[in-house]
Amino acid sequence: MITKRTDLISFRIKFYFETKFMLRLQTIREMSDSEDDDVPRLSSHALAALQEFYSEQKQQSNPGGDDKYNIGIIEENWQLSQFWYSQETALRLAKEAIAAAGECGRIACVSAPSVYQKLRELHREDFSIYIFEYDKRFAIYGEEFVFYDYNNPLDLPEKIAAHSFDIVIADPPYLSEECLRKTSETIKYLTQGKILLCTDRTKADSRQLGS
């Protein structure tokens, strides 16, 4: 009799805990379903737009192949006073540089990335072209990229010898007299004589480039 009573108590205890566990599990599931219903969901159009945005961002951060020479593949940073040339302007400047440099010439683009990109788009192997830039995003151009800070106009790597470029194209990032003066130091160090200067400063201010 005692054994049967003990077995009955054990069964009731087991049933109680199993039932309580199942009820608690059901409550958790219901809460989860309720929370899922409250979570905002993007429409298929919004998801597609978001995926396109992330794809563009990835391409801009790591462009490859011929695309990396497209003007605008690296976005303007206005805080660095970056305003890219139009395709037409870049093409005209590139052609002027090619004519001035001559066959297999050496061209330096100082703070003029749009011209560099257009030159590389036109002539992949014909010319030796370097881009002197403060913005390290342009390091995607490998050995042709030279970090350049106009505040230290002659702080250049050893591979860049004095008067080693047939022509220098320069577009000082700022219109201040200091920026033009320091950029002119770089230009005179690099060029063998030919200069293509793009600036809004007056002709009088540009005399600093004279010998």
Side-chain angles (χ1 to χ4, degrees), residues 146-211:
V146 177
F147 176 74
Y148 172 69
D149 182 352
Y150 79 87
N151 291 296
N152 302 297
L154 300 181
D155 186 9
L156 302 170
E158 293 182 0
K159 69 178 182 179
I160 304 299
H163 313 303
S164 59
F165 289 91
D166 296 291
I167 184 170
V168 175
I169 305 171
D171 187 349
Y174 302 102
L175 299 178
S176 66
E177 181 179 351
E178 178 191 25
C179 181
L180 180 59
R181 175 173 52 80
K182 290 184 175 181
T183 302
S184 69
E185 291 183 45
T186 307
I187 294 171
K188 287 188 284 189
Y189 175 83
L190 296 174
T191 187
Q192 294 178 3
K194 296 177 182 178
I195 299 167
L196 185 53
L197 179 65
C198 307
T199 178
D200 287 335
R201 299 287 293 187
T202 65
K203 186 180 294 185
D205 291 326
S206 299
R207 289 176 185 169
Q208 297 177 71
L209 292 170
S211 56

Side-chain angles (χ1 to χ4, degrees), residues 71 81-85 90 93-94 97 107-120 129-135 138 141 146 148 168-173 183 196-198:
I71 295 175
S81 189
Q82 292 178 340
F83 304 93
W84 304 152
Y85 296 144
L93 291 171
I107 302 173
C109 298
V110 179
S111 303
S114 301
V115 181
Y116 167 84
Q117 291 168 327
K118 183 58 68 175
L119 283 165
R120 270 288 163 246
I129 309 170
Y130 283 85
I131 173 173
F132 294 76
E133 257 296 332
Y134 181 81
D135 189 344
F138 290 96
Y141 299 128
V146 177
Y148 172 69
V168 175
I169 305 171
D171 187 349
T183 302
L196 185 53
L197 179 65
C198 307

Side-chain angles (χ1 to χ4, degrees), residues 71-84:
I71 295 175
I73 195 69
I74 295 177
E75 292 186 347
E76 296 170 334
N77 183 341
W78 295 349
Q79 292 182 340
L80 296 178
S81 189
Q82 292 178 340
F83 304 93
W84 304 152

